[in-house]
Amino acid sequence: MLLLHEHTHPVLTDEGGAILDEHTGRWSYLTPTAASAVLLLLSSTTESQAAEQYAERHGISRDQAANDIRTVTTALTEQGVTARPAVRRPWWRRGR
């Protein structure tokens, strides 16, 4: 599962895709396969689900798809466009 910062916007282009960071004005350009990975990550509940769909879509092994998905996720995280998922904490405190 991939979460982008609120101030980032993915778009499809003729050459693949891009992600705009409104705070910096910077565009992160994506190859067609990276754009596919991003769209699957954004619509999936888990990274493994995205990898499975990516493998089916591109006719590659699940291991290769998982590696490709991790590579895209790592690159976007390094560029600072991803957000951390919210950590849900129980409403009660333990130990009381």
Side-chain angles (χ1 to χ4, degrees):
M1 180 167 126
L2 181 71
L3 294 174
L4 298 176
H5 284 293
E6 290 179 4
H7 55 83
T8 58
H9 306 282
V11 294
L12 293 175
T13 66
D14 290 339
E15 294 82 26
I19 298 175
L20 171 63
D21 183 335
E22 288 181 353
H23 285 171
T24 64
R26 189 171 133 212
W27 288 89
S28 299
Y29 294 98
L30 307 168
T31 64
T33 52
S36 171
V38 168
L39 293 177
L40 290 170
L41 282 161
L42 290 172
S43 66
S44 299
T45 55
T46 65
E47 196 171 288
S48 64
Q49 181 186 34
E52 185 176 317
Q53 292 174 2
Y54 187 84
E56 290 175 18
R57 181 171 289 173
H58 295 284
I60 59 175
S61 72
R62 290 177 194 241
D63 289 338
Q64 181 62 51
N67 185 49
D68 290 356
I69 291 289
R70 272 191 305 276
T71 300
V72 169
T73 302
T74 300
L76 293 176
T77 300
E78 289 173 354
Q79 292 177 16
V81 296
T82 59
R84 293 184 184 169
V87 176
R88 295 190 178 190
R89 301 182 192 281
W91 58 270
W92 71 92
R93 292 190 177 249
R94 294 183 182 176
R96 284 190 173 197

